[in-house]
Amino acid sequence: MLARIFGAMLKRVHKSTFHETGPKHMERYVTEFTGRHKIRDHDTIKQMQGVAAPMNGKRLKYSDFVA
């Protein structure tokens, strides 16, 4: 039952936000949506701490990002 609800929500987001998602990036969109779904009950500060903590001390170069 929960999987059906999650699937329906993902489908709605795909149609409204990520209009033309190709198979190349679909896994990333699903991963992002899953992460947002997991932290939806936290307040904003807790959400931001959870997002920023793994980035501490890391660097992403543009050339690596677009590769």
Side-chain angles (χ1 to χ4, degrees):
M1 176 69 172
L2 185 59
R4 284 174 78 189
I5 293 170
F6 183 79
M9 289 170 41
L10 179 61
K11 190 175 182 181
R12 186 172 60 221
V13 167
H14 176 265
K15 287 185 177 186
S16 64
T17 306
F18 308 124
H19 305 284
E20 297 187 25
T21 305
K24 180 179 178 182
H25 298 290
M26 183 57 76
E27 184 177 343
R28 290 181 180 185
Y29 288 118
V30 171
T31 302
E32 178 189 351
F33 185 76
T34 303
R36 288 181 185 212
H37 186 72
K38 287 181 180 179
I39 64 171
R40 69 189 184 282
D41 294 331
H42 296 127
D43 64 0
T44 305
I45 298 298
K46 183 120 174 144
Q47 288 179 5
M48 292 285 91
Q49 288 171 340
V51 168
M55 293 184 220
N56 191 16
K58 302 219 175 152
R59 179 178 175 201
L60 175 64
K61 291 190 264 177
Y62 181 77
S63 59
D64 294 337
F65 180 70
V66 297

